[in-house]
Amino acid sequence: MASGSVAQQLFMLFICLLPHSSMLDFAAATIQDYIGDKDMSCPSVCRCDEDFIYCNDRGLSSIPSLPQSASVLYLQNNHINNPGLPVSLEFHLAVRVVYLYDNELDEFPLNLPPSVRELHLQDNNIRTIPRSTLARMPLLEKLHLDDNSISTVSIEEQAFADNPRLRLLFLSRNHLSSIPSGLPASLEELRLDDNRISTIPTHAFRGLASLRCLVLDGNLLANQRIADDTFSRLSNLTELSLVRNSLLTPPINLPTAHLQRLSLQDNALTHMPRGSLDGMRRLQRLDLSGNNLTTLPKGLFKDLDSLGQLLVRGNPWNCGCNMRWLYDWLHARGNSITVRGLICHGPDRVRDMALINLTNVMEECEVVKTSGNRDRVGVGGVDSSTTNTPPQGSLFTLRSKRPGMGLPDTGLDYTLSSSGVGKSLALNVKPLSHNSVRVTWSVAQPSSSFRLSWLRLGTGNAMGSITETLVRGDRREYLLTSLQPRSSYIICMVPLPASSEGKGVISGDPDSDEALVCAKAETSDLSPLEEDEPEDSKQIVLPLAGIIGGASAIVSLALIFGVFCWYGHRTGHLCNRDHYTRSNSRKNKNYDGYIESGTKKDNTILEIRGPGFQMTPMAACQPMQPKPLREDYIIHTIYPSNGTGLYKAGSHVSNAGHGTNRGYREAGIPDIDYCYT
C-alpha cells in the first residue's frame, strides 16, 4: 500500500508539471529511476524483453497488468476495445511508445500514460478526436490515425492546441473533406492521402512554417479549387505529393526554396507551363508519370541543376524537333541524371524509341529564331520565346508581335490570293483538308535552299504565331499539316543564298526580303468534309446492309428448315405426322373410329372391316436399318368402328378406357389377343 500511494503521489506531481513541458522529461526520468527496483513480473500471456512488452497477436480483449518499467507496448492485432484499457495504465509513466493498431477501438483511447511520445491507432474505427483526450499527452510527437472513420467535423476545434511537440500526423484513408484546422505549428509531416478533400483555401496551411512533408494523394483536387498562394506559405517544404488527383497543370506558386521531391503522377496534366519549375534549385526527384503530356517547353528545367531522377513514363511524347532542347539537355547532364519512361509515341518513324537515342533525327532539326532584335541562332538552337501550345507537325512554334521577316501587313488595303509571283519565284498554295495545305513553287534560277514560313492570322490586330522551316533547294513541293480548321494563313517563301544556308542561319537582310513571295490560304471547316459525307454514306449503306442481312437470314433459315425436314424424313421421325390426339380428333368433322379404338390409321397396312387381325412390320417407324433376313410381325386385334369385337364381356363395363390395353382387359378380351407372337 505504501508503494502504491507513493506512485499516486508521483503521478499527481507529473500532472502538476504538465503546464511546464520543459520539466516533463526530467520528471519522467526520475519516476523511471524510482520504479526500477519495484518492478512487476511479465504477464503470462506476453513476452518481455527488458522494457519491451510484446502482447501482440494474442487475441486479447483487454490489456493485462504490465510491469512498471515497460517503455514500449506492442498491443496490435488484438480485440482490445475501449473498456479494455484499464485505469491503471495511465500510472505507467515510463511508457513512451504504444502500438494499438488493428484493434476494436471506436473512440480515442483514454487512460493512456501522459509520457507517451508515439501512438499508433491505425486500423480501428475511431470517429472523433477530442481535445481533452489529447491534452493528457503533452509529450506526444507522432500520432498515427490512418484507416479510421474520422471526418472533418468530428475533429474538435483546436484539438491539437495542447500538443506543442506534435511533429507527425497521419490521417490517411479517413473521411476528411477539407484540411483540418488548428494544426500545431510544430508539425513537420502531414499525410492526408486517400480522403475526399476537394478544396484547399488560402488559410489551410497558415502557421505551418515547419512543415517539410505534405502528402495529398488520392483526393479530389482540381486546379480551380486550389487557392493561388496555398503552397507558397510552406517555405520549408521539402516533399510535396499530389498523386492521383485531377490536376491539368501543376499548382501555381509552389514553394521553391527547399523543395526536393515533387510527385505529380497519375493526374490529367496536358502541359507544363514555362516557369512552373523555376527556382527549384534543390529539386532531386520529379515524377510526371501517367499524364497526357506530349511535349515540354524549352527552359522548363533551367534551374533544376540538382535533379537526379526524372520519371515521365506513361505519357504520349511527340519527339519532333520541339524536343530538341530536351535531347541536348539530357546529353549535357550525362550520367548525373536517371530518366525513366521518355519513350516516343510519335511520329511513326521514331515510335517506341527513347528520346536520348534519336541522334540522327535530332541532327536534322533546325529550330530558327525569327526576331530581328535578337541574336541569330544556329543549328540546334532555339528561341526563348517558346509558346506552351503544341507545335505544328514536328516544328517548334515561335511567337512574336512583329517577326523580323517581312510578312505583309494585315492592316493594308490589298488582299492576298492563293498564288504569288516575285522576281525569281512563283508560289501557289492549295488547301487539301481542314488541317493541311499543299505548297508548290517554281523558280527562275536554282537556289541552295528556301525559307518557308506560315503565319496563322488571329482575331483583330493580333498577328498569331509564325512557324518557319528550311526546305532543300531541289524540292518544289511541301505539305503543311496540323493546321487549325477555319483559319486563314499567310504562307511566304524566299530563296536563300548558299552562304546563309551553309551557316545554318536564316538571314534577314533586305536583299532576301525583296525576293519574298507570299500567298494566302484558308483551311476549310471540319464539319462539311468529315461529318456530312459519312452521314450521306450511312444513309446509302445502312438500307443496303439491312436488305442483304435480311435476305441472308431468310435463306439461312430456309436451308436449316429444309435440312431438318430431309433428315426427319430419312430417319422416319416424320412418319407420325397424321397422328392426332384424341382431343383434336373429336373436334375434327371427319371422325375416325380407328383413333377411338387406339389404333393408328395407316392406309398401307392390311385392314379388316369386320373383327379380325392386322399385320404390321415391326420397327416401321424406326431409323433405317439393314434389311433383316426375316420379318417379325405383331398381331393386334382390330375393332370395327362400332366397338364390337371377337370377344365381348358378359356385362357392360362403364370405364373401358378407349385406346389403352387397360380398356381391352376390362372388356374381357383374353391376354392372348394383345400379346406379342
Side-chain angles (χ1 to χ4, degrees):
M1 291 297 293
S3 62
S5 61
V6 172
Q8 292 180 357
Q9 292 176 2
L10 290 175
F11 176 74
M12 295 303 297
L13 176 62
F14 192 94
I15 296 300
C16 293
L17 292 175
L18 287 179
H20 308 282
S21 58
S22 61
M23 302 177 61
L24 293 179
D25 293 333
F26 173 76
T30 303
I31 294 172
Q32 187 172 6
D33 292 339
Y34 171 77
I35 63 179
D37 298 332
K38 300 182 178 298
D39 201 0
M40 296 176 59
S41 60
C42 181
S44 59
V45 295
C46 304
R47 181 177 64 86
C48 300
D49 185 3
E50 295 182 355
D51 55 347
F52 290 74
I53 312 300
Y54 297 93
C55 298
N56 55 296
D57 300 280
R58 300 297 199 277
L60 302 176
S61 59
S62 61
I63 300 177
S65 298
L66 303 173
Q68 291 291 335
S69 62
S71 63
V72 180
L73 304 181
Y74 294 94
L75 300 167
Q76 69 271 17
N77 298 324
N78 283 294
H79 304 289
I80 300 174
N81 51 23
N82 290 88
L85 276 70
V87 179
S88 60
L89 184 61
E90 62 182 343
F91 296 107
H92 291 73
L93 304 181
V95 175
R96 300 168 62 89
V97 182
V98 178
Y99 292 92
L100 272 170
Y101 62 84
D102 198 9
N103 277 283
E104 298 179 3
L105 301 173
D106 53 9
E107 294 179 0
F108 202 95
L110 298 172
N111 306 326
L112 292 177
S115 58
V116 172
R117 288 169 172 78
E118 184 175 344
L119 180 59
H120 294 260
L121 296 174
Q122 55 266 41
D123 288 303
N124 281 281
N125 193 30
I126 298 174
R127 298 182 177 87
T128 60
I129 302 180
R131 177 177 179 178
S132 59
T133 305
L134 285 175
R136 300 171 66 89
M137 294 178 288
L139 300 179
L140 189 62
E141 298 177 359
K142 299 179 181 180
L143 178 58
H144 296 261
L145 286 168
D146 314 76
D147 298 285
N148 280 281
S149 302
I150 301 170
S151 61
T152 303
V153 296
S154 65
I155 301 177
E156 188 177 346
E157 187 177 358
Q158 301 297 321
F160 306 98
D162 299 319
N163 303 100
R165 296 189 176 189
L166 188 62
R167 298 184 293 105
L168 184 147
L169 177 60
F170 284 9
L171 287 168
S172 305
R173 294 174 294 280
N174 279 278
H175 306 318
L176 301 176
S177 58
S178 61
I179 307 296
S181 60
L183 297 175
S186 59
L187 204 61
E188 297 179 1
E189 184 173 356
L190 177 62
R191 292 182 177 267
L192 302 172
D193 47 302
D194 295 300
N195 280 278
R196 303 170 184 173
I197 301 173
S198 59
T199 304
I200 303 181
T202 303
H203 60 275
F205 302 114
R206 181 177 301 170
L208 300 182
S210 301
L211 192 64
R212 298 182 180 276
C213 178
L214 176 61
V215 179
L216 292 168
D217 300 350
N219 281 281
L220 306 175
L221 297 175
N223 292 89
Q224 62 271 21
R225 296 182 180 179
I226 301 177
D228 292 347
D229 57 346
T230 295
F231 301 105
S232 61
R233 301 173 181 270
L234 305 175
S235 57
N236 291 316
L237 197 68
T238 60
E239 181 177 352
L240 176 61
S241 184
L242 295 167
V243 180
R244 291 182 287 110
N245 281 280
S246 301
L247 301 175
L248 298 178
T249 60
I252 62 176
N253 298 328
L254 292 176
T256 60
H258 300 90
L259 194 62
Q260 299 177 5
R261 300 168 64 92
L262 178 59
S263 300
L264 297 171
Q265 64 265 34
D266 297 323
N267 277 274
L269 301 180
T270 56
H271 71 282
M272 297 285 292
R274 283 199 60 211
S276 57
L277 303 179
D278 287 356
M280 298 185 183
R281 303 186 185 278
R282 298 187 180 182
L283 191 65
Q284 300 175 3
R285 185 179 187 273
L286 176 62
D287 196 339
L288 299 174
S289 305
N291 286 284
N292 296 321
L293 297 172
T294 58
T295 185
L296 296 175
K298 180 185 180 296
L300 182 66
F301 299 157
K302 65 178 182 179
D303 293 335
L304 306 187
D305 299 332
S306 301
L307 190 64
Q309 284 186 316
L310 178 61
L311 309 178
V312 292
R313 59 171 55 92
N315 287 281
W317 296 112
N318 183 18
C319 300
C321 291
N322 54 302
M323 298 284 275
R324 171 64 186 266
W325 74 270
L326 183 56
Y327 169 84
D328 295 336
W329 185 82
L330 293 175
H331 276 274
R333 293 296 304 272
N335 296 329
S336 63
I337 185 171
T338 301
V339 183
R340 294 286 184 270
L342 193 51
I343 305 300
C344 301
H345 189 265
D348 291 338
R349 64 171 181 165
V350 297
R351 184 183 295 271
D352 299 329
M353 296 176 62
L355 176 66
I356 199 170
N357 297 329
L358 301 182
T359 303
N360 296 332
V361 176
M362 292 301 165
E363 287 179 353
E364 300 175 0
C365 298
E366 294 181 5
V367 183
V368 184
K369 178 179 177 180
T370 61
S371 177
N373 297 328
R374 300 180 184 178
D375 296 336
R376 270 56 179 174
V377 182
V379 177
V382 67
D383 187 9
S384 61
S385 59
T386 304
T387 62
N388 295 328
T389 57
Q392 299 181 4
S394 61
L395 298 173
F396 206 82
T397 303
L398 306 177
R399 175 175 303 198
S400 61
K401 294 182 179 179
R402 289 291 176 185
M405 180 180 175
L407 289 171
D409 192 350
T410 57
L412 299 179
D413 297 334
Y414 64 87
T415 58
L416 292 174
S417 63
S418 60
S419 62
V421 180
K423 295 181 180 180
S424 60
L425 186 143
L427 181 67
N428 185 39
V429 296
K430 181 180 179 180
L432 297 181
S433 65
H434 67 278
N435 63 350
S436 62
V437 173
R438 179 184 179 186
V439 182
T440 58
W441 63 91
S442 59
V443 292
Q445 56 185 0
S447 179
S448 60
S449 63
F450 300 94
R451 178 176 64 183
L452 178 63
S453 306
W454 59 97
L455 171 67
R456 179 174 177 264
L457 298 180
T459 58
N461 295 325
M463 288 294 295
S465 58
I466 181 174
T467 308
E468 293 187 351
T469 185
L470 289 178
V471 184
R472 296 194 309 270
D474 57 345
R475 295 187 59 176
R476 295 295 181 266
E477 181 179 351
Y478 195 89
L479 182 64
L480 303 181
T481 60
S482 300
L483 304 180
Q484 295 294 328
R486 293 187 298 177
S487 300
S488 298
Y489 285 87
I490 296 178
I491 302 171
C492 299
M493 176 172 283
V494 59
L496 297 179
S499 59
S500 297
E501 195 275 336
K503 295 179 181 179
V505 180
I506 296 177
S507 62
D509 55 6
D511 296 337
S512 297
D513 293 339
E514 290 178 359
L516 180 68
V517 179
C518 296
K520 185 177 181 179
E522 294 185 0
T523 55
S524 59
D525 192 2
L526 177 64
S527 56
L529 294 177
E530 294 192 7
E531 295 180 2
D532 294 340
E533 290 182 4
E535 291 179 0
D536 295 337
S537 61
K538 289 179 181 178
Q539 294 177 359
I540 299 175
V541 174
L542 288 179
L544 182 60
I547 294 174
I548 296 175
S552 300
I554 293 174
V555 172
S556 301
L557 292 176
L559 290 175
I560 295 173
F561 184 77
V563 171
F564 176 79
C565 292
W566 174 82
Y567 181 79
H569 178 73
R570 291 291 303 271
T571 57
H573 288 300
L574 300 180
C575 65
N576 295 334
R577 292 177 60 186
D578 295 332
H579 176 66
Y580 303 99
T581 59
R582 187 185 309 123
S583 59
N584 292 334
S585 300
R586 290 175 179 175
K587 296 178 182 179
N588 196 348
K589 293 181 180 180
N590 299 326
Y591 184 80
D592 198 338
Y594 287 91
I595 299 175
E596 182 68 23
S597 63
T599 305
K600 292 184 293 184
K601 183 177 181 179
D602 193 345
N603 295 328
T604 62
I605 64 175
L606 177 64
E607 294 185 4
I608 302 178
R609 292 295 180 183
F613 298 92
Q614 172 182 345
M615 301 178 66
T616 304
M618 295 182 62
C621 295
Q622 298 300 323
M624 297 183 63
Q625 297 178 358
K627 184 176 180 181
L629 298 178
R630 63 184 181 85
E631 293 185 354
D632 296 332
Y633 293 87
I634 301 174
I635 300 177
H636 297 282
T637 302
I638 300 177
Y639 293 90
S641 59
N642 57 3
T644 60
L646 298 177
Y647 299 92
K648 294 185 178 291
S651 60
H652 177 70
V653 181
S654 60
N655 297 326
H658 296 290
T660 62
N661 289 337
R662 180 181 299 275
Y664 299 156
R665 294 188 184 98
E666 293 176 352
I669 301 172
D671 291 343
I672 189 64
D673 288 337
Y674 53 80
C675 292
Y676 296 111
T677 60

